[in-house]
Amino acid sequence: MSGTTEDKVTLDEVVALCKRRGFIFQSSEIYGGLGSTYDYGHYGVLLKNNVKAEWWREVVQERDDMVALDAAILMHPRVWEASGHLEGFTDPLVQCLGKCKKRWREDHVREQQLGGEDAEGEIRCPECGGELSEPRQFNLMFETHMGPTKESGSEIYLRPETAQGIFVNFKNVLQFARKKPPFGIAQIGKAFRNEITPGNFIFRTREFEQMEIEFFVTPDDAPEWHKRWMDERMRWYTELGIREDHLRLREHGPDELSHYSSATSDIEYLFPMGFSELEGIANRGDFDLRQHAKFSGEKLEYVDSASGDRYVPHVIEPSAGADRAMLAFMVDAYDREEVEGRERVVLRLHPRLAPVKVAVLPLVNKDGQPEKAREIYEALRGRMPAEYDTGGSIGKRYRRQDEIGTPWGVTVDHQTMEDDTVTLRDRDSLEQTRIAVAELAGELERRLAEPWSSPKPR
Ligand code: ATP
């Protein structure tokens, strides 16, 4: 019998699993580590790649109103003047004047201690209870220098968001993509922010990957498209297995809105530390294109060749974090249950997200079973990520696969040697069915294409 025993997942458990199974390592670990910076190991790379591939599939491949872009991380410094980042990409920093001298984000401390980012009242150091300094605005952009000398004027920035790479290419794309509004440009890439208080594992780091869309529409249609994108993006997470009641849409209040935005809603996930932002969906109006037109001198507008109408499109921006999404998928998937008196940890990931789809295991390490299992594995791995494992007892090998979220296991046993059938084990139900080797790949591909929902309780 199997049954889920406990739904509450702690971040520590997920961190421990990531370490134990080589998903994620501390960066520069042999030098003592670099704070809140992480390296992705084998399964981490495969999982994050699957998250990004599902995003590409949904927002580019399965639409005909979106094109892809991959802009450089380094951009002309004037970009950040035009975008408002040089002036306004800041967080309010307060420092403890008591014992610990730690630095904090004032808005976060207000939220924690007074229930709102802008709530009035006294706040104290969350670590030692000391008094806090007056806030000062701290710019989050990482600055570096281009060229061999550090002279003034050579400063450039690591991009704090991928979005600006899209806006500055608006004209190029319009020329080559043969699209007219409504149409979008999608991009995945690294972004860097010198966060005051990074933390919660890969939830908030100083280097991370964003998956961003800028969707250009006629000004009148912007509110409707904003709503549409909120629905589409919510659906993406739920179709990939995130339980609906662990997701919510939260509209920004007027005080919270960024300088460019007329409306923003966040998709939030119920992380172990509470509901927190997974993705922001903003209606940016025509702010960005107008700013870049002003600063660059280029006309950034759409001219309808039939009617001769010209206008600056408005922009809807669904902006997600690939690492944050990966963390949400892992937290939502993490489960423990008792099976025949023993606890097993299992990642109940959507099969399309799972790093490995199938593990092929010989029951015993003799009687031709390892060779047969290897042969089946080699036939499968060209069609889907597969693993072949002979090390340790069959129970131990399955526990390993459960922890990395492998949805299906194939066992080669003595009967296989007689009739060319294997057992196919389901990660979630633990059901085992007998199937002919010749039908295996087709059956797995059929299962991979099926809709899936989490067996974890709502
Ligand atoms: P926050 O208020 O949490 O600092 P934000 O509203 O500034 O976030 P956006 O600028 O809207 O975040 O970024 C879009 C997405 O990029 C976020 O929803 C998140 O998924 C991801 N993201 C932003 N900052 C980080 C970070 N420091 N580490 C990891 N992911 C991040």
Side-chain angles (χ1 to χ4, degrees):
M1 268 307 288
S2 72
T4 300
T5 48
E6 171 77 88
D7 184 40
K8 192 97 184 78
V9 177
T10 66
L11 204 53
D12 285 347
E13 284 173 292
V14 175
V15 173
L17 173 71
C18 283
K19 203 176 157 98
R20 192 160 73 238
R21 296 299 177 195
F23 280 79
I24 295 174
F25 312 111
Q26 170 79 67
S27 161
S28 318
E29 203 169 4
I30 60 169
Y31 287 97
L34 180 67
S36 297
T37 313
Y38 296 95
D39 299 342
Y40 286 67
H42 183 67
Y43 296 125
V45 172
L46 297 185
L47 176 54
K48 188 152 71 138
N49 275 350
N50 290 343
V51 170
K52 292 188 284 183
E54 287 301 324
W55 188 87
W56 280 124
R57 180 220 292 265
E58 169 88 8
V59 308
V60 178
Q61 185 182 324
E62 294 198 8
R63 304 180 68 103
D64 44 29
D65 56 3
M66 193 86 76
V67 294
L69 181 76
D70 187 1
I73 289 172
L74 303 176
M75 301 182 74
H76 196 289
R78 290 272 283 166
V79 167
W80 308 111
E81 270 179 63
S83 69
H85 281 81
L86 259 185
E87 183 95 351
F89 193 59
T90 54
D91 277 336
L93 168 76
V94 287
Q95 186 167 12
C96 173
L97 302 173
K99 251 202 226 131
C100 77
K101 309 285 183 239
K102 281 208 169 144
R103 295 180 173 89
W104 305 94
R105 250 177 83 168
E106 187 203 14
D107 53 337
H108 285 175
V109 181
R110 283 195 185 279
E111 172 85 48
Q112 271 166 14
Q113 296 183 5
L114 304 172
E117 290 186 0
D118 298 304
E120 298 284 339
E122 195 200 10
I123 49 172
R124 311 284 300 186
C125 173
E127 182 96 352
C128 72
E131 211 181 307
L132 292 171
S133 69
E134 283 298 307
R136 75 178 169 86
Q137 292 302 321
F138 171 77
N139 196 301
L140 300 183
M141 283 201 293
F142 276 101
E143 191 181 314
T144 184
H145 289 265
M146 188 125 161
T149 54
K150 275 196 174 177
E151 65 214 16
S152 110
S154 70
E155 300 91 2
I156 55 164
Y157 302 91
L158 301 186
R159 67 180 175 198
E161 60 174 31
T162 62
Q164 299 306 322
I166 298 181
F167 295 125
V168 302
N169 277 293
F170 174 75
K171 217 174 152 179
N172 286 336
V173 174
L174 203 57
Q175 220 168 356
F176 293 102
R178 292 162 47 235
K179 301 273 183 226
K180 55 185 267 191
F183 84 99
I185 303 177
Q187 164 162 245
I188 295 182
K190 285 256 169 135
F192 302 83
R193 296 182 185 179
N194 200 359
E195 299 274 3
I196 296 169
T197 43
N200 288 319
F201 195 37
I202 55 170
F203 177 84
R204 187 182 302 284
T205 50
R206 294 191 170 112
E207 172 179 347
F208 54 97
E209 260 184 302
Q210 288 190 311
M211 310 189 286
E212 292 199 300
I213 297 166
E214 305 303 330
F215 201 80
F216 302 95
V217 299
T218 57
D220 289 348
D221 289 343
E224 170 60 25
W225 274 104
H226 189 212
K227 164 95 190 48
R228 240 193 253 187
W229 274 110
M230 291 188 241
D231 295 344
E232 302 245 329
R233 296 302 303 145
M234 283 290 271
R235 188 175 49 74
W236 186 75
Y237 291 103
T238 53
E239 281 184 2
L240 285 174
I242 298 234
R243 291 162 298 165
E244 253 168 72
D245 60 347
H246 285 58
L247 275 180
R248 74 177 186 197
L249 205 56
R250 191 183 65 81
E251 204 177 322
H252 282 207
D255 307 347
E256 237 183 307
L257 287 176
S258 323
H259 57 282
Y260 52 76
S261 173
S262 60
T264 297
S265 287
D266 288 342
I267 296 179
E268 297 186 331
Y269 174 71
L270 185 52
F271 285 98
M273 62 279 187
F275 270 108
S276 314
E277 175 176 340
L278 199 49
E279 169 160 353
I281 302 163
N283 179 350
R284 297 176 76 120
D286 58 5
F287 175 82
D288 306 272
L289 290 180
R290 280 198 192 281
Q291 285 293 103
H292 287 300
K294 190 167 124 194
F295 279 71
S296 68
E298 289 282 343
K299 272 206 168 79
L300 300 178
E301 56 185 19
Y302 178 73
V303 185
D304 192 317
S305 53
S307 66
D309 283 351
R310 52 176 67 221
Y311 59 91
V312 179
H314 282 213
V315 176
I316 308 301
E317 178 192 77
S319 169
D323 316 80
R324 232 181 240 191
M326 172 173 155
L327 182 62
F329 286 120
M330 289 187 91
V331 167
D332 211 68
Y334 189 99
D335 204 4
R336 303 173 229 98
E337 68 175 359
E338 204 159 287
V339 182
E340 289 159 0
R342 297 183 65 169
E343 193 183 73
R344 75 163 179 153
V345 168
V346 51
L347 269 192
R348 302 188 191 278
L349 288 168
H350 191 299
R352 289 213 306 266
L353 292 181
V356 176
K357 312 303 177 195
V358 58
V360 187
L361 318 171
L363 183 64
V364 292
N365 243 327
K366 55 181 186 184
D367 303 336
Q369 289 181 22
E371 294 76 13
K372 181 70 187 170
R374 173 116 208 141
E375 183 191 312
I376 295 171
Y377 155 72
E378 285 182 8
L380 281 175
R381 72 178 178 187
R383 296 171 70 167
M384 65 191 66
E387 270 193 12
Y388 165 70
D389 188 2
T390 56
S393 73
I394 190 87
K396 207 167 148 205
R397 280 177 278 160
Y398 268 130
R399 254 188 303 286
R400 193 173 159 271
Q401 295 298 332
D402 286 341
E403 289 203 350
I404 63 168
T406 306
W408 301 294
V410 166
T411 313
V412 168
D413 54 19
H414 64 275
Q415 197 182 326
T416 313
M417 309 311 290
E418 286 160 17
D419 65 3
D420 228 24
T421 64
V422 287
T423 60
L424 179 55
R425 171 194 187 261
D426 182 276
R427 174 197 70 199
D428 297 324
S429 66
L430 291 175
E431 220 179 300
Q432 307 226 20
T433 44
R434 198 102 209 152
I435 179 169
V437 171
E439 286 165 22
L440 192 56
E443 171 62 14
L444 292 174
E445 278 167 352
R446 187 190 66 72
R447 291 188 185 188
L448 257 179
E450 273 185 346
W452 183 91
S453 64
S454 174
K456 282 179 76 176
R458 303 276 108 189

